[in-house]
Amino acid sequence: MEKINLNKLIKEAILKKKGISLSEYMKMCMTHPKYGYYTKQYPIGFKGDFITSPEISQMFGELIGLWVVQAWMDHNKPPEFSLVELGPGNGTLMEDILRATKSILEFHKALKITLIEISPSLQKLQKQVLKDYPINWKKNLSNLPNIPTIIIANEFFDALPIRQFVFKKNKWMEIIVSLKDYNNTKSNEFCFGLKKVTNLPQELNSFKQKENQIYEISSEIKKNIVFISKHLKKNLGACLIIDYGKNNNIGNTLQSVKNHKYSDPLEYQGESDLSSLVNFEAIKNYSKEYNLVVTKLINQGDFLKSLGIKERFIALSKNMEKEKIDTHVASLKRLIDYNQMGKLFKVLGIRNKKTSPLIGLEI
Ligand code: SAH
């Protein structure tokens, strides 16, 4: 039923505008206030459509907790310290961070936590999971307290809408979502199409004009990174971004996942997870003019190993029931092995120049 409603809305938008950009399509599918994918269901976890690192093992959140505490100590333990998470999903990462650092009372006393979550149902779930902690929720990044700030984002940026452009016969065209048959308005069949670009993003000017090459741009990623950069420039602090991605914007990286399997992005509107590979090079460029330190891009596996995941793995194994050991081993491998999440997932840090070098990334 809801799929039909969303289909209808998308179709109306397509008819009105003679095709909509991929980013408009993604936005409607993922975050439509009533029918969007994140709005109306619990997509993350074994029962959902996809699994994220914090859901694989508590070790992930515990190590990020350690990283955050280290950053707080490197700021000379300020009595007020802001911790912001973008797109907290089931709240598992924040729960593990807070549980693992519970004994550091001074740190907990200093914490001002803000969660940025667009989905009302996920906000509700996060409120349940994190009911013991004082937390502020916001739908988008805005008005953070002007105190030293750590911002963390695991698999947030890949969820933001992108636009795709292609250079054809001497001009830029945008890839749009269109209807297979405009005359048959009963048809729910969508297809990709091309449209001449009118509001050309400035960035396109710097791309190589190579026939048929697809480029991806996300103004949503830009908006978030510019906000973060301005905030970190004004205040001390750092941002930790963990996501799957690469160092360029070339090629079509749009993907749709339903029930742990790839699916057609033009089917199952609001029922499948649409995402794309994060272009870390663009993130670096967006924050460039704010005079910050942007770290090298590190593989997730190397980052977690340098924070001590193997030691934590051994410590947890000691009291573990025999039946659980196999899963524990598989979880470690899944997080750090290069043929699993260890290499595809990257970690990037951005920090104020006056903030100490970041552990696992710079030292
Ligand atoms: N970080 C979590 C969840 C990743 S899924 C984990 O690792 O498990 C992406 C998360 O970002 C979800 O919580 C989703 O609701 C949220 N989200 C997606 N688009 C958003 C937007 N535009 N603004 C704020 N949150 C958004």
Side-chain angles (χ1 to χ4, degrees):
M1 182 64 190
E2 285 180 350
K3 185 187 167 189
I4 295 170
N5 284 328
L6 187 59
N7 252 33
K8 214 172 133 224
L9 290 176
I10 294 173
K11 209 162 70 181
E12 278 166 14
I14 292 175
L15 284 169
K16 204 165 129 199
K17 297 185 179 176
K18 295 222 158 58
I20 54 173
S21 70
L22 194 52
S23 104
E24 284 170 271
Y25 175 76
M26 288 176 84
K27 209 166 171 176
M28 287 181 94
C29 289
M30 302 307 287
T31 55
H32 184 277
K34 204 158 165 208
Y35 308 119
Y37 177 75
Y38 284 119
T39 318
K40 61 184 181 59
Q41 58 208 337
Y42 300 111
I44 311 152
F46 289 97
K47 284 192 197 137
D49 290 305
F50 62 97
I51 303 268
T52 55
S53 298
E55 306 295 329
I56 292 173
S57 164
Q58 68 186 74
M59 292 185 286
F60 185 81
E62 289 170 349
L63 292 168
I64 304 293
L66 182 88
W67 189 91
V68 176
V69 168
Q70 185 64 51
W72 170 72
M73 295 199 303
D74 286 341
H75 283 81
N76 299 320
K77 305 186 181 176
E80 283 199 310
F81 188 70
S82 167
L83 177 60
V84 182
E85 186 183 353
L86 310 181
N90 297 351
T92 312
L93 174 58
M94 188 51 76
E95 192 194 9
D96 286 338
I97 290 174
L98 297 174
R99 182 182 39 76
T101 57
K102 211 166 58 192
S103 61
I104 312 165
L105 300 180
E106 214 185 326
F107 170 71
H108 269 251
K109 229 176 117 196
L111 272 184
K112 301 253 173 294
I113 305 169
T114 310
L115 299 186
I116 310 295
E117 175 56 70
I118 198 167
S119 151
S121 51
L122 284 175
Q123 259 198 31
K124 209 166 139 201
L125 175 65
Q126 292 153 17
K127 281 179 182 155
Q128 272 165 24
V129 172
L130 298 160
K131 61 181 179 316
D132 296 334
Y133 303 97
I135 294 179
N136 243 329
W137 270 267
K138 279 176 184 285
K139 278 191 155 205
N140 50 47
L141 257 182
S142 55
N143 296 331
L144 297 176
N146 285 314
I147 52 177
T149 305
I150 293 294
I151 301 168
I152 53 177
N154 184 60
E155 286 209 45
F156 170 73
F157 286 99
D158 68 70
L160 299 182
I162 53 163
R163 289 172 76 183
Q164 289 182 337
F165 299 92
V166 59
F167 194 73
K168 261 191 188 299
K169 299 201 179 103
N170 268 325
K171 55 182 183 297
W172 287 107
M173 306 287 282
E174 177 158 13
I175 296 179
I176 54 161
V177 176
S178 176
L179 283 174
K180 270 187 191 156
D181 182 357
Y182 271 90
N183 296 323
N184 176 8
T185 46
K186 282 214 176 77
S187 152
N188 272 335
E189 299 279 272
F190 298 121
C191 64
F192 290 113
L194 287 175
K195 198 176 180 177
K196 197 160 169 257
V197 186
T198 42
N199 53 343
L200 207 73
Q202 231 185 356
E203 280 167 89
L204 275 183
N205 296 329
S206 62
F207 300 162
K208 210 167 135 192
Q209 299 182 338
K210 193 174 157 204
E211 190 71 13
N212 290 328
Q213 182 67 69
I214 296 176
Y215 293 96
E216 295 181 335
I217 294 182
S218 172
S219 58
E220 290 284 321
I221 293 187
K222 184 172 182 179
K223 204 168 77 191
N224 280 284
I225 294 296
V226 167
F227 182 94
I228 291 168
S229 302
K230 283 184 178 162
H231 186 77
L232 292 180
K233 189 181 172 195
K234 188 165 169 195
N235 302 279
L236 290 175
C239 174
L240 184 71
I241 299 171
I242 308 172
D243 225 311
Y244 46 93
K246 55 188 176 103
N247 249 332
N248 60 58
N249 60 352
I250 297 169
N252 166 23
T253 74
L254 177 70
Q255 63 181 41
S256 169
V257 171
K258 185 172 165 54
N259 225 335
H260 306 273
K261 288 195 194 85
Y262 289 114
S263 60
D264 180 344
L266 298 184
E267 251 186 76
Y268 314 115
Q269 290 82 28
E271 310 276 331
S272 77
D273 178 48
L274 298 178
S275 69
S276 70
L277 284 188
V278 173
N279 171 12
F280 284 100
E281 198 54 35
I283 292 187
K284 286 182 198 169
N285 284 334
Y286 298 147
S287 65
K288 223 183 215 161
E289 60 188 277
Y290 297 93
N291 197 26
L292 302 158
V293 173
V294 182
T295 69
K296 273 194 316 212
L297 203 56
I298 306 278
N299 293 322
Q300 169 168 299
D302 299 328
F303 177 69
L304 294 176
K305 276 190 272 185
S306 76
L307 294 184
I309 195 166
K310 288 196 170 157
E311 292 75 5
R312 186 67 193 133
F313 167 85
I314 294 167
L316 284 171
S317 322
K318 284 197 177 129
N319 299 320
M320 202 167 260
E321 298 145 44
K322 255 194 165 150
E323 313 85 79
K324 291 199 174 151
I325 290 283
D326 285 351
T327 319
H328 189 41
V329 173
S331 302
L332 175 73
K333 284 175 169 269
R334 191 154 174 195
L335 290 175
I336 66 172
D337 275 8
Y338 271 14
N339 57 4
Q340 299 201 48
M341 292 169 90
K343 196 169 171 193
L344 174 65
F345 278 72
K346 309 278 185 203
V347 188
L348 186 80
I350 305 173
R351 67 165 168 93
N352 185 302
K353 279 200 168 146
K354 290 184 210 136
T355 296
S356 302
L358 303 170
I359 53 160
L361 296 169
E362 296 175 88
I363 48 169

